[in-house]
Amino acid sequence: MPSIALVTLVVRDYDEAIAFYTDALGFALVEDTDRGDGSRWVVVRPHGAGGVGGLGNVGLLLARAKNEEEEATVGNQTGGRVGFFLHTEDFARDHARMSAAGVKFLEEPRHEPYGSVAVFEDLYGNRWDLLQPADADPLA
């Protein structure tokens, strides 16, 4: 298989999720198609997907929870662990931009052997790493 195309992220509301991922994280809205049954096919992905890490055009399928079982997973889809890793080529720039946009970082930036990193939460509480890999990080 050449790449993973999409990863589903269960959300409470399409429009609030689109706003967070496009405004706060700077992702592009790739598709927003009404499926005719009250659901939508909503895909967002980082601008320039396929750059750092060479993962192709990986995107998030934002899927609105449709029952109580799915609603219970919103914000805890990885059991409280960091489940998503957002690579950057300029950690300081993106950390500052995201902080200014209201993204909640759970820690101060760290410089580890593998790169510069800080854990943040999305609007539902899912944990993400903002990570500049060491091979692209002059501070690591």
Side-chain angles (χ1 to χ4, degrees):
M1 295 297 124
S3 68
I4 294 174
L6 295 172
V7 174
T8 299
L9 188 66
V10 181
V11 301
R12 199 173 16 252
D13 177 84
Y14 292 118
D15 294 325
E16 72 180 5
I18 290 169
F20 177 82
Y21 286 98
T22 59
D23 297 341
L25 297 191
F27 285 19
L29 177 61
V30 176
E31 185 174 356
D32 184 357
T33 303
D34 186 330
R35 297 182 62 194
D37 60 358
S39 67
R40 291 157 52 184
W41 184 265
V42 177
V43 177
V44 295
R45 67 174 43 108
H47 286 282
V52 179
L55 294 176
N57 290 321
V58 175
L60 292 177
L61 174 65
L62 304 178
R64 188 185 67 210
K66 58 185 173 186
N67 57 45
E68 287 182 18
E69 183 179 357
E70 289 180 12
E71 182 70 34
T73 69
V74 172
N76 192 26
Q77 293 178 94
T78 60
R81 296 188 59 127
V82 170
F84 307 95
F85 300 81
L86 185 59
H87 282 192
T88 178
E89 295 172 340
D90 189 334
F91 181 88
R93 175 198 67 208
D94 291 334
H95 184 270
R97 182 188 55 74
M98 291 166 62
S99 294
V103 173
K104 179 181 175 185
F105 281 88
L106 302 179
E107 62 184 14
E108 293 298 315
R110 302 185 324 266
H111 305 290
E112 302 290 348
Y114 55 85
S116 293
V117 63
V119 176
F120 70 93
E121 288 182 339
D122 68 14
L123 74 163
Y124 300 114
N126 293 301
R127 291 176 180 227
W128 292 66
D129 271 357
L130 175 64
L131 173 64
Q132 181 174 351
D135 59 0
D137 187 352
L139 298 175

